[in-house]
Amino acid sequence: MTAFEEMGVMPEIGRAVEEMDWSLPTDVQAEAIPMILGGGDVLMAAETGSGKTGAFCLPIIQIVYETMRDLQDGKGKQSQGGGAKSKKWKMNVFDRGDAMAIDADGLLCQSRDAMGWHGTRSTKAVTNKGKYYFEGTVTDEGLCRVGWSTNKARLDLGTDKEGYGFGGTGKKSFAKQFDTYGEPYAMNDTIGCFLDLDLMTVKWSKNGVEFEKAYDIPHHLRNSAFHAAVVLKNAEMKFNFGESPFKHPPASYTPLCKAPKECTTDSPFGAGTAAVSKGPAPNAPYAIIIEPSRELAEQTHVQVQKFKKHLDRKISDLLCIGGIAAKDQIAALKNGVEIVCGTPGRLEDLISTESLLLSNVRFFVLDEADGLLSAGYGELINRIHKQIPKVTNDGKRLQMIVCSATLHSFDVKKMAERLMYFPTWIDLKGQDSVPETVHHVVCQIDPTKDTSWKTLNKHVCTDGVHESDNLNPGNYTQEMLSEAVKMLKGEYLLRCIKEHKIEKSLIFCRTKLDCDNLEKYFIQLGGGPKGRNKDLSCVCLHGDRRPPERKANLERFKKNEVRFMICTDVAARGIDVSGLPFVINVTMPDEKQNYVHRIGRVGRADRMGLAISLVSACKEKVWYHSNCSNRGKGCYNTRLTDQGGCCIWYNEPQLLNDVEDHLGVTIDQVQADFKIPVNEFDGKVTYGTKRVDTGSGYKGHVEMLAPTVAELATLESRAQISFLNLKYKKSFGNTK
């Protein structure tokens, strides 16, 4: 039995994990897997590379597999609410709206469509004669209408001449006629529904207070069979047909469950009469995993395929990202998909066209949730969540899993409070901090002190924000110093690479244009993707590059075919490159949390890493296309945003102060020669390799504990001998 199987993971999945050389679960896996298998919502924070993808994929695959197996083996069909031949009174899963969910007992109904009404009726009906009663209790906020309907009625109760409804707004309804009746009701209120087939009348009560007669049933409905009925709009209601004691039992009315057999009939809607009887629609997956970038979605998709390889029943999975023909993804969905992994834009397209249905979703996963929210996908997440039923057809509650770089983000906290159901927090990071294996330094660039920019023959192409400015090297205007910093950053980057003989590094730039310009500069110097100068070989990764190119560039960097990957924060989010020794920030990130996210890509698995940030000593004018209709494409408006333009003054000294305050540290400064200060990093460190013993506790546990263990063994031996001597003296006395 593998360590994963001890947590409840299936042997087939455990075997796949073992083949991936995962001998023991990581900390986040040990915490999250049992919680997800147990049915809980989980909010987790862990570093990229900590195994969090496995932490949510393993239990999801297992539960999806078990659900499919039960469905194929015929199990669970009796638990799906009720069918036409059900012996008990239940709400009928074969007679319901698209977004109406019914629990395993057939008594709890829920619809999470905020835009439309969805109804259902009971599996049985009463007819001929008698006085009958049932109760419905509102168990969540939303709009409800409850009452009685015939087989011919629309599920939208009270909108035709075959059904009678009483709504939460205090209106009774019949044939689209809504009239004031009784009083409004809301969450925790219990509504009693009365049907008198002797006098042919209908009425309701609220919390035991009976209202006057609402309707006389017309003569043409005298021989009709009447079902208990409800229609909901983003609401939830639980019913009692008399199997358990009523909260407010009425006098002289019979509970529906005790209606005489001769007055009871089964619903004509049952197995074979509705599409739902055939199981979930093929394009209604059990799990949706949303990733912020194509690369991360691809990585997660590959992991899913590895984990499920030994299962004896096929679980279909689909990658939904841009760059792949939408028609191919739609065709795959029509053939049947259980797990979907994709990016927000493509998923929104598929959902809006109903190519992908949310009616059967059991797991809703947001990976790198902080990145999704900062990219502006908060409203999309809310819309998708509202459309997913919170109780599935087989009575299972929706599980939501959120992974984030930090759980201390205000936006992530608010989203969790709004959407998740008592989530378990698994915080293996806590407030942001820098691991001991990461050495991070700052090199300040001051163009008033380093004036070499005046005589540069070749320099990196700048971003063009100063093209309309009158730049004079002899006049240190704010614009001139800003342009000078842009030129110097390229030179400082080359010095840094040369000083540390860097053979592999991520290079972060603020914008896609900056990435392109830096790649062109390396190409001018003989490097780039295919240049002869291997010291400056590089690839570029950002959102404007075509997906095949992005994928190929990432693979080339991982295989060490090039030394540098120049990228933006968004493109690189979630990408894990093992053994990475260096990270260089050409520009400080906009958000202080992203600083930790960037530099945390080195120093993993006890390997030492160095992160170097180039920080301007003066403000720098940069592009900022937040209000730009084209999001920067073809934009040349260099005015400031408060003047209707697309530029701002970027204050890197202030950003550095914010990062230091956030971390509670002062980051070491290095000079333009990039010599690293001598402190605990005392020359014994080789970046990218495991840390050698510097007296700070990096010995193996066995070696460290050996002297203490030996001493404890000696003390234990002495204690045992002393005990035996005392026992001997007590038994035989002193022999001296």
Side-chain angles (χ1 to χ4, degrees):
M1 178 181 288
T2 66
F4 284 88
E5 290 175 60
E6 292 180 3
M7 295 191 298
V9 173
M10 296 169 54
E12 294 86 349
I13 298 177
R15 178 182 167 196
V17 168
E18 199 171 25
E19 290 177 0
M20 296 167 66
D21 293 327
W22 291 14
S23 56
L24 292 172
T26 63
D27 290 343
V28 69
Q29 290 166 353
E31 294 275 352
I33 290 175
M35 291 301 307
I36 299 172
L37 286 175
D41 282 12
V42 171
L43 190 62
M44 69 175 89
E47 295 285 359
T48 304
S50 62
K52 63 181 174 63
T53 303
F56 64 78
C57 282
L58 290 175
I60 286 175
I61 290 171
Q62 175 159 327
I63 294 175
V64 169
Y65 170 84
E66 291 171 344
T67 302
M68 294 174 62
R69 180 189 61 194
D70 290 346
L71 207 59
Q72 291 170 3
D73 292 350
K75 298 177 182 178
K77 291 183 179 179
Q78 297 301 318
S79 67
Q80 286 192 344
K85 302 301 181 183
S86 175
K87 293 182 180 180
K88 293 184 178 181
W89 281 75
K90 301 179 179 183
M91 288 302 185
N92 193 348
V93 297
F94 302 122
D95 185 19
R96 61 187 172 95
D98 293 337
M100 174 65 76
I102 304 172
D103 77 342
D105 296 325
L107 301 178
L108 181 67
C109 295
Q110 182 191 77
S111 173
R112 282 305 174 203
D113 185 352
M115 304 301 295
W117 291 88
H118 297 268
T120 185
R121 287 183 284 243
S122 56
T123 56
K124 294 180 177 295
V126 288
T127 187
N128 297 328
K129 62 181 180 179
K131 299 166 67 175
Y132 304 102
Y133 174 82
F134 73 94
E135 288 182 345
T137 300
V138 184
T139 50
D140 200 357
E141 299 289 353
L143 296 177
C144 311
R145 200 156 62 238
V146 62
W148 305 89
S149 79
T150 71
N151 294 331
K152 297 178 182 179
R154 288 199 294 262
L155 290 175
D156 191 359
L157 182 64
T159 59
D160 58 24
K161 295 182 178 181
E162 299 282 340
Y164 301 90
F166 172 42
T169 57
K171 301 282 186 180
K172 63 179 181 178
S173 58
F174 174 74
K176 288 188 178 180
Q177 182 69 40
F178 293 84
D179 299 312
T180 300
Y181 175 79
E183 60 184 61
Y185 60 89
M187 186 172 172
N188 299 321
D189 287 331
T190 297
I191 304 304
C193 301
F194 299 79
L195 175 67
D196 188 337
L197 292 180
D198 298 329
L199 298 178
M200 297 298 287
T201 61
V202 174
K203 68 176 181 178
W204 288 269
S205 67
K206 173 185 172 183
N207 299 328
V209 178
E210 293 185 23
F211 302 134
E212 63 184 359
K213 178 182 68 174
Y215 294 105
D216 289 308
I217 300 174
H219 181 75
H220 75 275
L221 294 180
R222 174 167 291 278
N223 296 322
S224 298
F226 286 89
H227 299 261
V230 66
V231 63
L232 303 174
K233 187 176 184 179
N234 195 26
E236 182 180 273
M237 204 166 193
K238 188 166 186 177
F239 295 94
N240 183 0
F241 298 114
E243 293 287 351
S244 58
F246 287 127
K247 290 185 178 179
H248 308 286
S252 71
Y253 276 78
T254 302
L256 279 178
C257 72
K258 295 182 180 179
K261 189 174 182 180
E262 64 272 16
C263 296
T264 305
T265 182
D266 291 323
S267 169
F269 300 101
T273 65
V276 73
S277 65
K278 301 175 183 178
N283 60 334
Y286 291 105
I288 289 182
I289 303 169
I290 301 183
E291 303 283 1
S293 69
R294 297 168 183 169
E295 287 75 19
L296 194 52
E298 288 174 337
Q299 288 184 31
T300 302
H301 182 242
V302 169
Q303 291 290 86
V304 169
Q305 293 179 321
K306 289 180 179 178
F307 294 144
K308 69 185 182 70
K309 63 184 291 188
H310 293 302
L311 296 177
D312 58 359
R313 295 176 193 268
K314 182 182 178 183
I315 294 179
S316 298
D317 52 85
L318 180 64
L319 179 65
C320 293
I321 59 174
I324 300 175
K327 64 179 182 179
D328 295 337
Q329 296 169 358
I330 293 172
L333 285 165
K334 288 181 179 179
N335 290 330
V337 171
E338 282 74 47
I339 298 175
V340 169
C341 181
T343 48
R346 179 53 57 90
L347 288 174
E348 183 175 30
D349 292 342
L350 294 172
I351 293 169
S352 64
T353 58
E354 296 188 351
S355 300
L356 190 160
L357 301 180
L358 302 174
S359 57
N360 207 49
V361 172
R362 171 79 186 277
F363 293 98
F364 186 39
V365 182
L366 304 177
D367 197 9
E368 303 285 355
D370 52 325
L372 289 168
L373 294 176
S374 63
Y377 292 116
E379 279 305 311
L380 172 62
I381 291 169
N382 291 339
R383 288 199 303 272
I384 293 176
H385 184 266
K386 284 182 179 179
Q387 294 178 59
I388 298 174
K390 303 308 176 289
V391 180
T392 60
N393 295 331
D394 58 355
K396 305 297 184 182
R397 189 184 60 77
L398 171 71
Q399 284 182 253
M400 191 167 176
I401 302 159
V402 173
C403 306
S404 174
T406 173
L407 302 186
H408 303 277
S409 159
F410 176 79
D411 291 336
V412 172
K413 284 182 178 179
K414 294 301 291 182
M415 183 190 70
E417 291 174 3
R418 189 173 64 254
L419 304 183
M420 301 182 77
Y421 183 78
F422 297 108
T424 297
W425 286 49
I426 300 174
D427 191 355
L428 301 184
K429 289 186 65 179
Q431 295 286 359
D432 283 334
S433 61
V434 180
E436 290 183 352
T437 49
V438 177
H439 191 194
H440 56 131
V441 297
V442 166
C443 180
Q444 196 170 67
I445 302 175
D446 188 344
T448 64
K449 295 179 180 179
D450 182 352
T451 59
S452 60
W453 51 273
K454 294 182 179 181
T455 56
L456 288 176
N457 293 322
K458 281 186 178 182
H459 60 78
V460 65
C461 180
T462 59
D463 55 12
V465 298
H466 295 298
E467 283 188 0
S468 59
D469 295 328
N470 184 19
L471 301 179
N472 182 358
N475 187 5
Y476 286 3
T477 62
Q478 192 176 26
E479 288 76 12
M480 187 67 253
L481 294 178
S482 171
E483 181 74 2
V485 165
K486 298 176 190 293
M487 292 188 286
L488 284 176
K489 281 195 173 182
E491 302 310 301
Y492 277 54
L493 175 62
L494 295 179
R495 290 183 209 170
C496 173
I497 291 170
K498 184 176 181 180
E499 169 62 27
H500 292 284
K501 300 179 176 60
I502 297 177
E503 295 186 351
K504 188 168 190 174
S505 175
L506 284 176
I507 300 176
F508 282 99
C509 296
R510 183 178 166 274
T511 68
K512 292 175 280 191
L513 177 61
D514 292 335
C515 290
D516 291 337
N517 287 340
L518 188 57
E519 182 189 39
K520 290 175 185 176
Y521 186 45
F522 278 24
I523 292 173
Q524 287 178 0
L525 298 175
K530 300 178 181 179
R532 295 180 180 179
N533 184 355
K534 300 300 180 185
D535 291 344
L536 294 178
S537 58
C538 69
V539 289
C540 194
L541 190 73
H542 62 65
D544 282 352
R545 298 294 175 103
R546 294 174 61 84
E549 181 188 358
R550 290 169 62 177
K551 186 174 183 179
N553 287 351
L554 180 59
E555 286 302 311
R556 291 192 66 192
F557 181 66
K558 285 186 173 182
K559 293 177 180 177
N560 297 320
E561 295 175 6
V562 294
R563 292 190 173 188
F564 304 103
M565 185 161 75
I566 305 168
C567 54
T568 58
D569 279 307
V570 174
R573 179 174 283 272
I575 292 174
D576 184 35
V577 182
S578 59
L580 188 65
F582 296 93
V583 162
I584 303 172
N585 296 321
V586 174
T587 316
M588 289 291 285
D590 299 61
E591 301 290 337
K592 52 184 178 287
Q593 292 88 350
N594 281 344
Y595 177 81
V596 179
H597 195 72
R598 285 184 183 182
I599 70 173
R601 296 173 180 279
V602 297
R604 296 179 180 178
D606 288 338
R607 295 180 182 274
M608 299 306 301
L610 175 63
I612 301 171
S613 300
L614 308 180
V615 178
S616 171
C618 58
K619 290 184 179 180
E620 182 183 349
K621 190 178 181 182
V622 298
W623 290 110
Y624 189 74
H625 298 289
S626 63
N627 297 319
C628 183
S629 58
N630 295 326
R631 300 298 291 175
K633 290 185 178 180
C635 178
Y636 302 98
N637 188 347
T638 59
R639 297 194 303 273
L640 297 176
T641 54
D642 57 4
Q643 300 170 0
C646 287
C647 288
I648 60 171
W649 284 100
Y650 205 61
N651 191 343
E652 283 198 305
Q654 183 58 54
L655 289 171
L656 177 60
N657 288 335
D658 291 343
V659 167
E660 290 181 330
D661 289 344
H662 180 64
L663 297 176
V665 299
T666 299
I667 302 174
D668 290 334
Q669 299 269 344
V670 297
Q671 300 303 313
D673 57 6
F674 290 95
K675 301 290 185 184
I676 301 300
V678 177
N679 44 31
E680 72 270 22
F681 298 87
D682 56 2
K684 297 179 182 179
V685 171
T686 301
Y687 296 111
T689 62
K690 291 200 173 184
R691 188 176 183 181
V692 298
D693 178 23
T694 59
S696 57
Y698 274 77
K699 293 182 178 181
H701 284 342
V702 174
E703 183 182 351
M704 290 176 62
L705 296 176
T708 305
V709 171
E711 184 178 353
L712 286 172
T714 301
L715 289 172
E716 184 178 359
S717 177
R718 289 177 183 175
Q720 290 176 350
I721 292 172
S722 176
F723 172 75
L724 291 173
N725 286 337
L726 288 172
K727 187 174 182 181
Y728 179 82
K729 289 178 181 179
K730 184 176 181 181
S731 300
F732 301 102
N734 194 336
T735 57
K736 291 184 179 180

